Amino acid sequence: MSALVEFVDLVVRFRERGGARELTAVDGVTLALERGGALALVGESGSGKTTLARALLGLVPITGGSIRFGGRELGALTAAERRAVSRRIGVVFQDPFASLDPRMSVAELLAEPLAIHGISDVREQRARSFALLEAVGLSTHDIVRHPHEFSGGQRQRIAIARALALEPELLVLDEPTSALDVSVQAQILNLLASLRERLGLAYLFITHDLGLVHQMCDSIAVLYFGRLVETNRVASFFREPLHPYARALLALARREADARERIVAAEAPSPFALPTGCSFHPRCPRRAEGGGRCEGERPPLLELALPSRASVACHLRAPTAVSDAGNPR
């Protein structure tokens, strides 16, 4: 399959209020999402997952590199062209109650994106809204109700319907089930899986939940303080994560007895002053094996030999790698 989204050596920096210090939230990330694929962005809070997605959505400016959607560089598009691209991307946020205007009825919530993008015929809006409600498992009678009249799971179904209103090719899903009860989470994930199969959607998940990744995604990208440290097929990741940080995340998710030992008892670094070399090395239990390279030299992201379709930024894996998969800054 061809790439729908490509991040090419992407950099996003923010200046601290007052201008004293600069934070690099995304640091030279090169990554692709295939058409119809499902990619998970994982990592601790502050790893750059949400910033990467917000850059794709045009909500934060990029400092360097580029983003391509459907083969077109977003930074080179006119305002009208960028608006047309925005129709092809839907967004589902973490908290369905916060993301839905409580003053608006379901009819108004679903009609709003249609009207914004020039679909103003009331009958067409109503027909599309009915079809959207049925697609997400709600009744057409719900169209007159307001968000506070629904359960959390039902509100998330409305949010998904709204995200689908313009028939997008991609859904960006920011922790879409974390605010829901466990039983409801399963229902929403089943709905998303069904919609992906029926509509041929691509999904970009931002999540801490590796269980969701295992169930919903084809590939995974692990970020650590804005740097991409591993990409992998999901099945391969769950068999054998490549990067020490990725192994630690999986051990913690599985509640393994020695999980805490996978990360050395050291504080996470300040995002304003990352360590030299590999950013993870102060917390890495294998850093002594690097012979000083881990502390002094930033490892490039390298693709491993086929057929793995994986890449890793770790000096301990470098001898088995075959090519440079990204250009570290």
Side-chain angles (χ1 to χ4, degrees):
M1 289 185 288
S2 61
L4 177 63
V5 181
E6 297 171 275
F7 302 97
V8 182
D9 199 21
L10 187 70
V11 178
V12 179
R13 295 193 179 101
F14 301 110
R15 188 160 292 280
E16 189 180 27
R17 186 171 295 178
R21 298 183 296 178
E22 189 175 63
L23 181 149
T24 302
V26 177
D27 192 356
V29 168
T30 294
L31 186 63
L33 168 60
E34 296 175 338
R35 295 179 185 275
L39 169 66
L41 302 178
V42 304
E44 295 168 293
S45 297
S47 63
K49 307 184 301 293
T50 297
T51 301
L52 197 71
R54 287 172 62 84
L56 169 63
L57 297 169
L59 300 177
V60 296
I62 69 173
T63 307
S66 63
I67 304 174
R68 299 173 188 155
F69 188 90
R72 304 186 68 187
E73 187 171 332
L74 296 185
L77 300 182
T78 65
E81 290 171 333
R82 188 66 177 84
R83 182 183 173 90
V85 167
S86 70
R87 291 187 58 157
R88 299 165 66 187
I89 306 174
V91 188
V92 179
F93 296 101
Q94 177 177 1
D95 185 348
F97 194 75
S99 65
L100 300 174
D101 189 333
R103 299 166 297 181
M104 299 174 72
S105 67
V106 172
E108 292 169 323
L109 288 166
L110 298 181
E112 184 179 46
L114 299 173
I116 289 172
H117 287 271
I119 302 171
S120 56
D121 182 87
V122 174
R123 281 184 293 185
E124 183 176 356
Q125 288 180 358
R126 183 57 64 98
R128 286 206 188 192
S129 297
F130 283 161
L132 288 166
L133 288 174
E134 291 176 346
V136 299
L138 292 175
S139 167
T140 55
H141 297 296
D142 291 325
I143 201 164
V144 297
R145 300 168 67 190
H146 288 74
H148 71 271
E149 300 178 74
F150 296 92
S151 68
Q154 289 172 323
R155 285 196 291 265
Q156 195 64 300
R157 289 175 185 269
I158 295 167
I160 292 169
R162 181 179 165 91
L164 294 174
L166 297 169
E167 300 179 346
E169 297 172 63
L170 168 68
L171 284 190
V172 176
L173 301 126
D174 188 356
E175 300 280 9
T177 61
S178 63
L180 306 176
D181 293 338
V182 173
S183 61
V184 179
Q185 289 179 11
Q187 295 171 18
I188 295 300
L189 292 180
N190 287 337
L191 170 63
L192 289 171
S194 174
L195 289 170
R196 181 187 173 201
E197 183 177 355
R198 283 159 43 201
L199 303 177
L201 293 165
Y203 287 162
L204 179 63
F205 279 96
I206 303 161
T207 184
H208 292 85
D209 184 353
L210 291 181
L212 178 154
V213 175
H214 189 267
Q215 178 179 345
M216 298 294 298
C217 298
D218 310 313
S219 54
I220 185 170
V222 183
L223 291 156
Y224 186 74
F225 282 96
R227 298 177 180 177
L228 192 58
V229 298
E230 178 175 337
T231 66
N232 212 334
R233 305 300 291 177
V234 163
S236 299
F237 174 86
F238 280 90
R239 281 196 305 270
E240 184 188 2
L242 301 171
H243 194 277
Y245 176 61
R247 287 197 291 274
L249 291 180
L250 186 56
L252 288 167
R254 289 172 169 169
R255 295 180 173 84
E256 294 178 6
D258 64 344
R260 293 292 173 188
E261 297 176 11
R262 307 295 180 93
I263 297 181
V264 171
E267 288 188 12
S270 165
F272 292 101
L274 294 179
T276 58
C278 174
S279 299
F280 184 61
H281 85 256
R283 306 171 73 193
C284 181
R286 300 187 62 194
R287 64 182 183 272
E289 300 174 41
R293 295 183 71 196
C294 300
E295 292 86 347
E297 180 184 341
R298 178 175 170 182
L301 185 70
L302 297 173
E303 292 181 3
L304 302 186
L306 294 175
S308 69
R309 301 183 66 186
S311 59
V312 61
C314 179
H315 291 304
L316 302 179
R317 284 279 181 171
T320 64
V322 295
S323 66
D324 190 341
N327 300 313
R329 301 179 69 89

